[in-house]
Amino acid sequence: MRRSNKAITVPENVTRFKAKIIGRKGPVFRVENRENPNPDQPFVINCIARGHTKKAVVGDYVEYILENSDWAEGLIIHLEPRKNELVRVDPVGKKPQVLAANLDRLWVVCAAYPLFKNGLIDRYLVAAHQQNISAGIIFNKIDLIRTTEIRDFVQDSLKHYPKAGYPVYWASAHREMGLDLLKEELKGKTSVFVGHSGVGKTSLMNALIPGLDEDVQEVSEATGRGKHTTTSSTLYHLPSGGDVIDSPGIRGFGLWGVQAGDLKNHFVEFLPLQSACKFQNCLHLSEPGCAVKEAVRLEKIAKLRYDAYTKIHGSLLDEEG
Ligand code: GDP
Ligand code: ZN
C-alpha cells in the first residue's frame, strides 16, 4: 500500500512538539525541539519517521510526538512545507536527492588542493539561484598558495564572481585566517557549505566552532582528493551567531529541475542583456545579434562563465534527450 503523502493520525490528547531536523543517521533523525524555553541549551532527541515524513532532511521544520522505539524516543508526524531546498541528481539512481532545506545562503567552498573547477562552482550557483538562495564562494587553504603563478591563476579564475554579485571570501581553516569576516556574514542566517570533498568544509566548521572537533578526512597523497566523504548533512549553531549546514562532500553536482532553455535565467549577469539581444528568446548560443556574446567579446562578461553556461546547457540538453 502506498501511503506517501497521507497525514499521520495522532489522538488529540497526545502532545506534538515543533522541531527542526539537525542531522540524520540511517533511519534516525536528530531533531531539535523549538519550544525549548532556553535557546542556549537546545533539547535534541532522536526520532524516526513514517510515511511521507521520511522525506525530511536537515533544515526541515517538523512536528514529533514522544514514542519509544528500538532506535528513538520520538516519531515525526508532520513535515512543514519548505521555503526552498538544495537538490542534486543522485549520480547512481539518477533521482533527485535533497541535501538540505530552508536555506538563506549557499557557500561554495573551494581550494587550490584539490583544484577547484569553475564549472562545479557555476552549477551550485545555478541551483542556488533557481531556489532563491543567495550565494557566495569561500576559498579555503590560502596558506597553501605559495607561488605567484598559483595566486594569479586563482585570482583570475574567481575575480568575476563579486562583479556578478557573488562575494568571495579568502580563508584558511588551519591558520584561522579570514574567519572574522566570514562569521559576520554567517550571523543571523541559515547557510549551507557545499563543495568537493577534501576542500576543508569540516575543518572550517571546526575553526568556526571551538571545541567541535569533528573528524577531518585524510587527503589521498596520490590524487590530492578526499578519500572518503561525509554521507549526510548536519546543522551546527555557531557561537558567533547563525546556523551552518555542512553538506556531504561530493564529486559532482548534477542539476535537478533546470531545463536547458531556462538555464540562461540563472546566469545573473546575462539577465540585463537579454532585451538587447536581437531575438527575445535568444539562448545566447549561435543566434546572430546576441548581446551576451558581444559582452563576452568585450570582456564585460567573463568568458569562463559563458563557457560554463554553454557546457552546462549542452549537458542538460543531452539529459533531456
Ligand atoms: P571536507 O571534505 O571538505 O570536509 O574537508 P576536510 O575538512 O575533511 O579537510 C580535508 C583536508 O584538507 C584535511 O587534510 C585538512 O587537514 C586539510 N585542510 C582543511 N583546511 C585547510 C587549510 O586551511 N589549510 C591547509 N593547508 N589544509 C587544510
Ligand atoms: Zn543572446
Side-chain angles (χ1 to χ4, degrees):
M1 185 178 70
R2 253 190 104 226
R3 50 179 208 185
S4 58
N5 278 323
K6 229 171 157 190
I8 297 171
T9 18
V10 177
E12 275 200 13
N13 57 350
V14 175
T15 314
R16 303 156 159 256
F17 299 95
K18 289 191 188 305
K20 186 171 186 172
I21 307 285
I22 60 166
R24 177 175 186 173
K25 248 192 199 136
V28 181
F29 293 85
R30 300 279 293 157
V31 168
E32 189 175 275
N33 188 307
R34 299 178 66 225
E35 291 165 300
N36 187 331
N38 183 356
D40 289 338
Q41 287 189 329
F43 173 69
V44 177
I45 74 162
N46 288 336
C47 285
I48 53 165
R50 230 184 262 150
H52 77 285
T53 66
K54 282 185 186 162
K55 291 182 192 152
V57 298
V58 170
D60 262 328
Y61 294 103
V62 297
E63 282 178 12
Y64 71 86
I65 58 169
L66 292 173
E67 189 181 282
N68 272 317
S69 63
D70 287 349
W71 299 303
E73 309 95 84
L75 172 71
I76 299 170
I77 50 149
H78 173 70
L79 184 56
E80 291 281 327
R82 293 171 183 156
K83 134 173 131 174
N84 56 36
E85 53 188 20
L86 177 64
V87 194
R88 70 154 182 162
V89 178
D90 171 359
V92 182
K94 297 274 174 215
K95 287 200 189 110
Q97 179 192 16
V98 184
L99 300 172
N102 299 318
L103 303 162
D104 300 317
R105 247 222 169 155
L106 174 142
W107 291 101
V108 187
V109 183
C110 57
Y113 308 95
L115 184 62
F116 65 94
K117 291 202 178 95
N118 281 79
L120 180 65
I121 297 177
D122 293 326
R123 279 173 187 265
Y124 279 121
L125 297 181
V126 168
H129 188 262
Q130 191 232 5
Q131 288 288 312
N132 229 345
I133 304 167
S134 73
I137 294 163
I138 301 172
F139 189 91
N140 186 34
K141 309 197 194 184
I142 49 170
D143 55 297
L144 293 181
I145 298 185
R146 298 202 185 106
T147 67
T148 46
E149 283 83 3
I150 297 178
R151 190 197 59 201
D152 292 350
F153 170 76
V154 169
Q155 279 177 348
D156 280 351
S157 310
L158 300 180
K159 66 180 180 206
H160 51 280
Y161 288 110
K163 284 190 217 148
Y166 298 112
V168 177
Y169 281 83
W170 306 91
S172 165
H174 276 193
R175 301 272 171 88
E176 305 209 344
M177 288 155 76
L179 300 183
D180 288 340
L181 284 175
L182 195 53
K183 282 178 190 166
E184 284 304 311
E185 275 287 355
L186 299 171
K187 268 184 191 162
K189 303 186 186 87
T190 299
S191 305
V192 63
F193 282 2
V194 297
H196 207 292
S197 64
V199 294
K201 294 181 296 300
T202 313
S203 304
L204 278 172
M205 213 61 90
N206 284 338
L208 291 166
I209 309 176
L212 177 66
D213 214 15
E214 287 283 337
D215 280 351
V216 160
Q217 61 172 309
E218 285 172 58
V219 167
S220 150
E221 281 184 16
T223 62
R225 294 177 186 281
K227 279 185 189 163
H228 48 78
T229 53
T230 329
T231 51
S232 61
S233 306
T234 307
L235 183 144
Y236 299 94
H237 302 297
L238 303 190
S240 47
D243 291 341
V244 178
I245 297 173
D246 187 8
S247 71
I250 53 179
R251 295 188 194 287
F253 185 84
L255 288 166
W256 176 259
V258 180
Q259 310 295 317
D262 280 341
L263 183 68
K264 61 179 182 171
N265 298 323
H266 303 300
F267 277 73
V268 289
E269 64 272 55
F270 297 1
L271 295 175
L273 295 171
Q274 181 80 52
S275 58
C277 291
K278 185 172 172 199
F279 299 105
Q280 271 315 291
N281 57 357
C282 184
L283 289 173
H284 322 311
L285 294 169
S286 50
E287 300 92 334
C290 172
V292 169
K293 278 197 292 179
E294 179 64 4
V296 176
R297 199 181 63 77
L298 298 173
E299 297 183 14
K300 290 187 175 153
I301 283 182
K303 186 161 183 318
L304 277 172
R305 283 277 282 175
Y306 181 74
D307 289 347
Y309 167 71
T310 55
K311 203 168 163 198
I312 300 170
H313 184 272
S315 67
L316 291 176
L317 267 190
D318 285 349
E319 282 157 29
E320 286 167 21

